Amino acid sequence: MKRVRVTVLKTELYKDLADEYGARDLKLCPFFKVGEVYECKENKRPEGFGCEDAWACISRNVFALSSGGTDIYDGRWLKEGSNTCINCCNDGMRPVIFKLEVID
């Protein structure tokens, strides 16, 4: 299996949604910072990857890339032959955007 690098590209906060539906004074996700990098081996959640829900959201595509898949969205989202995928967690008020890329 190939190794996959996971990089935190963005952390967002949709203030309008947080104000209406979130806990008081909801802030950006506390688990990730822009620029953090994790390395996945054998499709296991990397050490220090702080959120199980975020891992559940991206692990399917980590597995596909690590297994040699290069067009996991049938050419609809990624450039042809790409070894890179952009994913996010499922937090609708403060999502984290990840870049997944094959590194070997």
Side-chain angles (χ1 to χ4, degrees):
M1 301 207 71
K2 299 178 180 200
R3 292 179 301 143
V4 175
R5 179 183 299 133
V6 177
T7 304
V8 179
L9 293 181
K10 292 184 176 188
T11 58
E12 301 286 337
L13 175 64
Y14 299 120
K15 187 144 175 49
D16 57 334
L17 295 174
D19 287 347
E20 186 170 350
Y21 302 106
R24 186 175 186 189
D25 297 323
L26 192 66
K27 306 281 189 233
L28 290 171
C29 175
F31 298 114
F32 300 103
K33 303 283 185 252
V34 171
E36 287 180 327
V37 177
Y38 303 90
E39 187 176 310
C40 303
K41 298 176 183 175
E42 300 175 8
N43 197 41
K44 293 181 182 172
R45 184 172 138 202
E47 189 174 324
F49 194 92
C51 181
E52 289 182 38
D53 287 335
W55 177 249
C57 292
I58 70 170
S59 62
R60 178 177 145 248
N61 290 333
V62 169
F63 177 74
L65 289 170
S66 69
S67 299
T70 58
D71 196 4
I72 57 181
Y73 293 114
D74 300 322
R76 295 173 289 165
W77 290 0
L78 302 176
K79 292 180 180 179
E80 187 174 334
S82 178
N83 286 329
T84 302
C85 179
I86 306 300
N87 280 157
C88 69
C89 73
N90 61 0
D91 188 329
M93 292 182 282
R94 54 183 186 174
V96 176
I97 313 299
F98 301 96
K99 177 172 70 171
L100 317 177
E101 58 190 327
V102 175
I103 55 175
D104 64 9

